[in-house]
Amino acid sequence: MKVGVIGLGSMGMGAALSLLHAGHDVTGCDMREAARAEFAAAGGGVADRADALPQGIEALVVLVVNAAQTEAALFGPGGAVDRLAPGAVIVSSATMGPDAARALAERARERQLLFLDAPVSGGAVKARAGEMTVMASGSAAAFNAAAPVLDAVAAKVWNLGEEPGIGATVKVVHQLLAGVHIAVAAEAMALGIRAGADPRQLYDVVTSAAGNSWMFENRMARVLDGDDAPRSAVDIFVKDLGLVADMARGLDFPVPIAATAQQLFTAARAMGQGGKDDGFVIRVWQAMTGIKLPGE
């Protein structure tokens, strides 16, 4: 299958490599020369602009940061839409609000293209293993057209219904939990350090007991190692918890815990930590209390 992947970041690169390993004809698109070079070295085709993708793309995976970037990549000046084959499927995997997903789906329909609202989860490691979780909604035709792509990139594909926007809704709710879990994991670790507990022993106790969460286990392991290289950055949760707030506001639904978590990530960004791994939101507590973090 002739596939394009726009966005060779931590998740997009993994998806593109998984598609390549599955035998598809894959062209990866990214403005960053280093990302293009990595994918080219693996045997994939590359493009530095969306409108430089090969003609006749049958499936286009868009794994950029947000709705605005997705719209620009598809329909903006220099967008990819004219490079798609008639009846091609767009697999829209950026995290965005449901209204934005529905609007993009309508624009695709007007161009007689199929559209799958298909945000993803799993992180860079799962993406490179072809084991992402996909939360998708769209027509049966869109699912059928995207099936070879989904088979290559995902361990689990959730079919959430025929209406675009449902996939985006579920991803926003997921990000509420993910962001809150990271923030509270950092708070717990910081409190333990301030109280004099050995952080590695604290980590071992929590990860063997009922208070554990996947986010505590994953993110606090990096904190213990002093490894703040971004797999998922603080800035992502400033954005995604903002989407939670926007969706909740439209429903007259209070989300006080998510709002508090967003403020903590915003504080970390204000401290210059926006590009660091999201578990290093713990530096907010470090700044307030003067604790020393492991590895620093």
Side-chain angles (χ1 to χ4, degrees):
M1 191 176 197
K2 197 169 186 178
V3 183
V5 178
I6 298 180
L8 298 176
S10 59
M11 300 286 279
M13 180 65 79
L17 290 170
S18 295
L19 287 159
L20 195 64
H21 296 156
H24 296 290
D25 177 5
V26 187
T27 302
C29 175
D30 201 289
M31 294 185 296
R32 297 168 300 143
E33 183 178 354
R36 296 195 305 273
E38 180 182 349
F39 191 59
V46 293
D48 61 352
R49 306 182 321 276
D51 62 356
L53 288 167
Q55 194 69 46
I57 294 289
E58 298 169 275
L60 181 64
V61 180
V62 187
L63 250 170
V64 292
V65 172
N66 55 26
Q69 288 189 8
T70 301
E71 182 179 18
L74 291 171
F75 303 112
V81 69
D82 290 331
R83 314 304 290 174
L84 304 186
V89 62
I90 296 167
V91 181
S92 175
S93 295
T95 301
M96 65 184 72
D99 289 345
R102 285 188 283 265
L104 289 169
E106 178 60 22
R107 293 191 68 176
R109 187 193 65 78
E110 291 170 354
R111 300 293 293 260
Q112 298 183 333
L113 297 168
L114 299 170
F115 186 92
L116 201 65
D117 171 21
V120 297
S121 182
V125 173
K126 292 285 189 181
R128 285 179 181 256
E131 296 177 351
M132 293 191 296
T133 296
V134 181
M135 313 160 208
S137 62
S139 67
F143 271 101
N144 288 338
V149 170
L150 300 176
D151 288 345
V153 305
K156 177 65 179 180
V157 178
W158 291 97
N159 185 332
L160 300 172
E162 295 188 357
E163 295 300 322
I166 303 172
T169 296
V170 171
K171 179 60 187 292
V172 170
V173 172
H174 173 276
Q175 293 305 88
L176 184 160
L177 289 166
V180 167
H181 286 177
I182 294 168
V184 77
E187 181 173 274
M189 179 61 76
L191 175 62
I193 292 171
R194 178 61 182 268
D198 178 274
R200 291 192 179 274
Q201 288 185 331
L202 174 62
Y203 178 86
D204 290 342
V205 169
V206 171
T207 55
S208 68
N212 190 33
S213 70
W214 190 90
M215 286 300 191
F216 183 94
E217 187 165 347
N218 182 266
R219 297 320 202 255
M220 291 306 103
R222 298 174 196 167
V223 169
L224 290 176
D225 292 339
D227 179 9
D228 64 4
R231 285 73 164 182
S232 174
V234 164
D235 281 340
I236 294 295
F237 278 97
V238 175
K239 172 185 72 76
D240 287 359
L241 289 170
L243 292 174
V244 172
D246 291 343
M247 189 173 81
R249 188 180 303 111
L251 297 168
D252 293 327
F253 190 92
V255 284
I257 299 172
T260 299
Q262 187 195 23
Q263 289 301 301
L264 292 164
F265 285 105
T266 301
R269 181 165 72 177
M271 293 166 52
Q273 301 296 308
K276 303 300 185 182
D277 193 79
D278 51 30
F280 283 81
V281 68
I282 196 171
R283 288 185 174 137
V284 174
W285 285 273
Q286 183 182 35
M288 291 189 292
T289 66
I291 61 173
K292 184 177 180 180
L293 297 181
E296 293 189 348

